Amino acid sequence: MAAAIKLAIVDDHPLFREGVVRTLEQIGGFEIVAQGSSRDDALRISEDQQLDILLMDISVPGGGLSAVEPALERHPDLKIVMLTVSEENQHVMTALQSGARGYVLKGVGSRTLAAILRTVAMGERYVCPQLSARVLVDLSSQSTAIEKPDVLAELTSREREILTLVAAGLSNKRIGLQLNLHEKTIKHHMTRILAKLNVSNRTEAAMTLRDATEHQHPPVGDPA
């Protein structure tokens, strides 16, 4: 028999919160380990309890959305699902970009909610269908517009210089000789470059630079 999903609910409407608790307990497969009514409660619960899922309204005092990132910084494996009446695109995008795994409207049926929570517990993401299409379009357009330039903008001039030499195929030792720096210093810079670009090796870093350069300066086509 599968272990029960450990769940906490944060909502500032006690009757609604208690109704969700009662419904999930009746359906089975869930262990409600804590309840709260504010952002501070959400952070305290996420710190004090061993949770699988934190189910939270965005409109709780202090702001549910503002609790997502700090909770995940302390507990990256925690899965946060927003349960709300808000259909605003910006709320959905902020929740997902902050790390929430689900965004559910409060009109959802009890058994559908239970199924969504099980899906999230298994590692999937969920956005209610009436919101997902337009939100994904917005997220895709934003990503296309800013992803590469913004990533490279985080590099210092020295890091950009070193990355350019990496893309040219130079080793750390050769880069150090060319820039009159110790090889250990180059390695330190490379560690920071990989972290800033969110890549795992020199090849991926070089590809990121080339892709961004092409994005900013697309090649001119042959004249007709």
Side-chain angles (χ1 to χ4, degrees):
M1 183 176 179
I5 296 170
K6 292 184 177 181
L7 185 81
I9 300 176
V10 176
D11 192 291
D12 60 337
H13 292 85
L15 288 177
F16 177 82
R17 189 175 68 237
E18 292 166 9
V20 173
V21 170
R22 185 166 54 252
T23 296
L24 293 178
E25 288 178 340
Q26 290 174 350
I27 291 173
F30 298 92
E31 178 186 351
I32 312 302
V33 299
Q35 298 182 47
S37 61
S38 68
R39 175 187 185 274
D40 289 345
D41 286 344
L43 295 178
R44 174 182 52 78
I45 290 169
S46 65
E47 187 69 25
D48 294 345
Q49 303 290 335
Q50 294 293 322
L51 298 176
D52 296 312
I53 295 177
L54 174 61
L55 184 62
M56 178 168 52
D57 192 355
I58 69 172
S59 62
V60 295
L65 291 175
S66 68
V68 177
E69 287 190 0
L72 292 176
E73 284 176 3
R74 300 173 188 173
H75 303 283
D77 293 333
L78 175 64
K79 298 174 177 65
I80 299 178
V81 176
M82 314 310 295
L83 180 60
T84 179
V85 297
S86 175
E87 298 186 28
E88 293 186 25
N89 277 20
Q90 190 56 52
H91 287 163
V92 184
M93 289 191 290
T94 299
L96 298 179
Q97 290 169 337
S98 298
R101 304 290 295 185
Y103 196 98
V104 186
L105 295 179
K106 282 188 173 180
V108 69
S110 57
R111 294 197 174 275
T112 300
L113 176 60
I116 292 168
L117 294 174
R118 292 191 191 102
T119 298
V120 171
M122 291 188 292
E124 300 296 326
R125 294 181 183 271
Y126 179 88
V127 177
C128 57
Q130 57 264 55
L131 300 178
S132 60
R134 68 175 188 257
V135 168
L136 288 174
V137 168
D138 285 350
L139 286 172
S140 177
S141 62
Q142 287 186 13
S143 175
T144 301
I146 69 174
E147 181 179 2
K148 296 301 182 181
D150 277 359
V151 168
L152 290 182
E154 295 182 9
L155 300 182
T156 66
S157 57
R158 175 65 82 185
E159 289 166 350
R160 184 69 175 264
E161 183 179 25
I162 291 171
L163 181 56
T164 300
L165 294 174
V166 168
L170 274 66
S171 66
N172 286 346
K173 184 175 182 178
R174 289 183 61 194
I175 293 172
L177 290 173
Q178 183 161 330
L179 300 180
N180 195 28
L181 295 172
H182 291 295
E183 184 176 357
K184 182 182 293 186
T185 302
I186 302 300
K187 289 180 179 178
H188 174 72
H189 280 300
M190 279 306 304
T191 299
R192 291 178 57 84
I193 290 169
L194 297 180
K196 288 183 178 182
L197 299 183
N198 194 27
V199 296
S200 58
N201 56 56
R202 297 163 65 88
T203 301
E204 291 179 1
M207 290 176 63
T208 299
L209 174 64
R210 290 167 182 168
D211 290 347
T213 302
E214 290 174 1
H215 178 82
Q216 293 169 341
H217 305 288
V220 178
D222 292 333

